[in-house]
Amino acid sequence: MAVSNISTLGISLQQRSIVLRAQSQIGKVTTEIGTGVKADVARALGSRMGEDVDLRNLMNQYDNYKNSIQIMASRTSIMAEALTKFEDYAVEAFNAIATTANGADSGIIDSIQNAARSALERIMGALNVSSGDRFLFSGVDIEKQPLFTPGQKNPVTGRTPIETIQELIGTPPTDAASAMAAADRIRLAFDGDPSIPAELHFEGTIYNGTPALDAAGNPNPRVRGKTDAETTVEYGIQANDGPFRDILRGLYMIASVDVAAMPKEARDVYVTEAFNSLSKGIQDLRDVHTALGTQQADLDTAMERNELRMRLLNERVVALETVDPYDAQARLTVLQQQLQASLNLTARLATLNISQYMT
């Protein structure tokens, strides 16, 4: 029976199309076998594609949390190191003042002013530490250096911290009453008491970061970061926190006046007040250390929890997007057989001559 020219040509063209399609499909399956991932995830998942997108969005969120945790861990590590240095410098000065407060000779009395100034200079290096483009003890005003150094002019008040304390002291104390009055004025200034002019307050003259309270008297927000959707870590230690104020107050009291020139009665009261402030600050600083250590431990736990969640999410994504290697190999074998059959048929059709097409 003669073959119709239309049907023969149509079959030939159809087989060529089948060959091209099979070759394309073989290429996709070969890629799937090589990568382990579906060549067309959306087509393969169909109605479950939304689930895949949601999972990947969650993974991106947790990756952002991971970066946030790492940043907070780095900053708290730097802060912990700075606190250790701060405490060491404060303790050295404390020991020098303690010796004097217990009635040491005049030679030691002469030396404690220099010891206090030296401690202050070193303390500024610890608390004015920065990470990247942000100061770590300034509160949310991260661009501001938290503390003016003892001899640094405050551009707003025009005074150095030493000059501020000296103005609060006024005439150097000559007896116990005037010594206590001077110590009280300094304490009130460090506490921000309204009885002391604002330009002599600790905040704004010595401390330059975020104030403890806003204009309405409410606590200002602290530096914080998120470890996941539900958890916020507040790790914003500030150089105006109580322990730092007490330590700085004790040191500035000694550094700003020649205590050796005071009469013994005045000196004993004044130095004891400075000593007590410094002692209280050092004791309370341990609570700051402990709280920061707890936050660091919480960040470590948050990182472990975050990594576990990311692993679980990744496993679900992998289950959706990866191919079964046995199934892929089976599909490849079928496609190769179909391709070979189509090639064989195409080859036979190609042997027909023009007269056969015309019969």
Side-chain angles (χ1 to χ4, degrees), residues 22-182:
Q23 288 174 331
S24 175
Q25 291 175 338
I26 287 173
K28 289 180 180 179
V29 176
T30 302
T31 299
E32 288 183 346
I33 292 173
T35 63
V37 180
K38 294 179 173 68
D40 188 340
V41 174
R43 179 186 293 272
L45 293 181
S47 61
R48 298 193 68 187
M49 187 61 198
E51 178 184 352
D52 188 65
V53 171
D54 289 342
L55 290 172
R56 285 201 166 274
N57 287 338
L58 278 174
M59 288 184 67
N60 288 335
Q61 289 180 24
Y62 282 113
D63 191 50
N64 291 334
Y65 291 136
K66 175 183 177 180
N67 293 334
S68 175
I69 295 169
Q70 288 175 332
I71 290 171
M72 286 190 286
S74 174
R75 290 173 183 164
T76 53
S77 177
I78 296 172
M79 294 171 80
E81 183 178 351
L83 284 179
T84 298
K85 291 179 180 178
F86 176 88
E87 183 174 18
D88 289 344
Y89 303 148
V91 169
E92 288 178 16
F94 170 84
N95 291 333
I97 295 172
T99 302
T100 301
N102 288 329
D105 59 39
S106 59
I108 295 178
I109 293 172
D110 287 336
S111 71
I112 66 168
Q113 185 177 22
N114 290 332
R117 288 200 177 193
S118 175
L120 282 171
E121 292 288 352
R122 290 184 292 172
I123 278 172
M124 298 306 151
L127 293 188
N128 286 339
V129 67
S130 61
S131 175
D133 58 352
R134 61 188 294 148
F135 289 100
L136 296 182
F137 291 95
S138 292
V140 296
D141 293 314
I142 59 173
E143 76 286 355
K144 294 181 179 180
Q145 177 179 298
L147 295 170
F148 291 103
T149 59
Q152 183 180 3
K153 285 280 187 184
N154 184 319
V156 176
T157 68
R159 303 183 188 90
T160 67
I162 291 289
E163 290 169 343
T164 299
I165 303 301
Q166 289 172 341
E167 185 162 342
L168 286 165
I169 294 171
T171 302
T174 56
D175 55 27
S178 59
M180 182 59 72

Side-chain angles (χ1 to χ4, degrees), residues 164-165 168 182-206 245 249:
T164 299
I165 303 301
L168 286 165
D184 283 342
R185 285 194 297 275
I186 296 171
R187 176 179 55 79
L188 291 172
F190 269 72
D191 290 342
D193 192 279
S195 65
I196 303 295
E199 65 269 19
L200 297 177
H201 286 179
F202 169 71
E203 290 186 347
T205 58
I206 297 174
R245 290 191 195 221
R249 175 160 64 92

